[in-house]
Amino acid sequence: MVSSVTALTIESWTLYPFGILLIAARILSRRILLGSFNKLQIDDWIMLFVAVTFTGVIVSVNQVSHNLSNYLPPGAAEAFTTEEHDNAVYGSKFVMILEQFMLANTWLCKACLLMLYHQMTLGLKHNKLVKIVGGYCAFGYVLVQILYLGVWCRPIQQYWQVPVDDSQCASYYHHLITSAVFNITSDLMMLYLPLPILIKARLPLKRKIVLCGVFSLGVLVILSAILNRYYNFTEPYGSLIYLDWYTGEAATSVFVANVPHLWPLLSRLFALGAFNSLRRTTGNSSGNGNSSGKGFYPKGSGNNKGSRARPYDQHGYIQTESEERIASAGAGPGAGTTWPLPDTKDGAGLELGSMDRKPMGYAATAAGGNEKESEHRDGIVKTVQIRQYSNEV
């Protein structure tokens, strides 16, 4: 990267439309998957706010590069004219604004990815780890802000004073170290979260490799953060190269946070078909098992031709569930009116429990077993959760 003002302007405003287009593509992709903009989830709305923070980073970077700041070699500020002094004060204020936009952009992108990982791990032991990492990220952001605004530079007006009395108010040295520690360590934790799930998923090897590659893009974010801090600490006073890396890190965070959601849109545009659902099985100590499948199936994808629309849950995942349990003889399928279906040739019957109204349709439980065996001793009863969904998917 080069440090000239012109090159920085070209680079930053070249990366900016790509970031905004990716955010727009993510929202459109989610609209295709969920069926309505009204069904967008909280992480989608957060990403719309990320568009604001990303815009703030690009604008602030260019303001700082054009006006300079109090990050100057010793004695340089004393030689300034009144106009140059005022410009440096103005640029120093934009350095503070840039830092706030950068922190918000970075940690909001983390939040969006953590919400995705939370949905991927529902019902799995990994979900607890996702919550722990989320708590660590929240703690890190709050601590970095407290130290930045209330500890490293006092009084806070020193951040835009030209020249400064305390070099920390110009170099941000202590702040950059603490923010880098929490930023990079949390990224390393998040890099691990989806990989065990994808490796164990019942997907073809090629699709596993593709998905692992997508979720491993966080390596680029970590690399950008490391290079950002490297040039902050090694370049001399007055160098603008750190602004290049601020731009690169912010753009990379936006790219990585949105790429995992683009498959429904790409599938619709290029008729690529859909990935198989990520199926998982969990159990508990009582012997009950629960298996469910989730996948990123857009409506009308190649795998759904000739069939009715897939029943998505409120997060855009396919919702299926079955349960097999050990039951005592003579135990009914549950309270409520039942609908007995005709017996099969071997005398096994099937009963359908009451239809309960659910937010997305109706649910009932069907249970069946061999009547002759169940009258005398315990038997195995298989229950299947049957869900009837409305067409508003």
Side-chain angles (χ1 to χ4, degrees), residues 29 35 72 86 103 107 125 133 192 222 248 263 326-327 338 348-349 355 382-383:
S29 184
L72 300 166
D86 292 343
L103 290 173
W107 261 266
K125 61 181 180 181
V133 175
Y192 165 78
I222 297 172
W263 184 259
I326 305 298
T338 60
M355 299 294 288
K382 183 176 180 64
T383 65

Side-chain angles (χ1 to χ4, degrees), residues 326-339:
I326 305 298
S328 300
T337 306
T338 60
W339 175 39

Side-chain angles (χ1 to χ4, degrees), residues 104-169:
N105 188 86
T106 301
W107 261 266
L108 287 176
C109 286
K110 292 179 192 290
C112 291
L113 282 174
L114 284 169
M115 291 179 187
L116 172 62
Y117 298 157
H118 171 70
Q119 293 301 324
M120 290 174 60
T121 58
L122 281 176
L124 299 177
K125 61 181 180 181
H126 294 84
N127 190 256
K128 184 177 181 180
L129 184 58
V130 173
K131 294 177 181 178
I132 292 174
V133 175
Y136 177 78
C137 289
F139 170 77
Y141 177 77
V142 172
L143 181 61
V144 166
Q145 287 284 23
I146 291 174
L147 295 175
Y148 174 53
L149 298 176
V151 177
W152 300 136
C153 180
R154 298 298 302 165
I156 197 171
Q157 292 84 352
Q158 281 276 316
Y159 275 126
W160 58 83
Q161 180 175 309
V162 180
V164 294
D165 298 329
D166 183 355
S167 62
Q168 289 294 329
C169 301

Side-chain angles (χ1 to χ4, degrees), residues 238-306:
S239 174
L240 299 179
I241 196 170
Y242 77 96
L243 295 175
D244 291 272
W245 286 104
Y246 264 63
T247 303
E249 183 182 350
T252 304
S253 297
V254 172
F255 297 164
V256 172
N258 286 287
V259 165
H261 292 276
L262 298 184
W263 184 259
L265 178 61
L266 296 176
S267 178
R268 176 69 63 88
L269 292 177
F270 303 107
L272 299 177
F275 278 89
N276 291 337
S277 61
L278 304 179
R279 302 188 62 84
R280 66 178 185 268
T281 304
T282 60
N284 55 37
S285 59
S286 64
N288 296 347
N290 191 337
S291 66
S292 62
K294 290 188 176 184
F296 300 90
Y297 285 87
K299 290 182 181 179
S301 64
N303 287 2
N304 297 334
K305 292 180 180 180

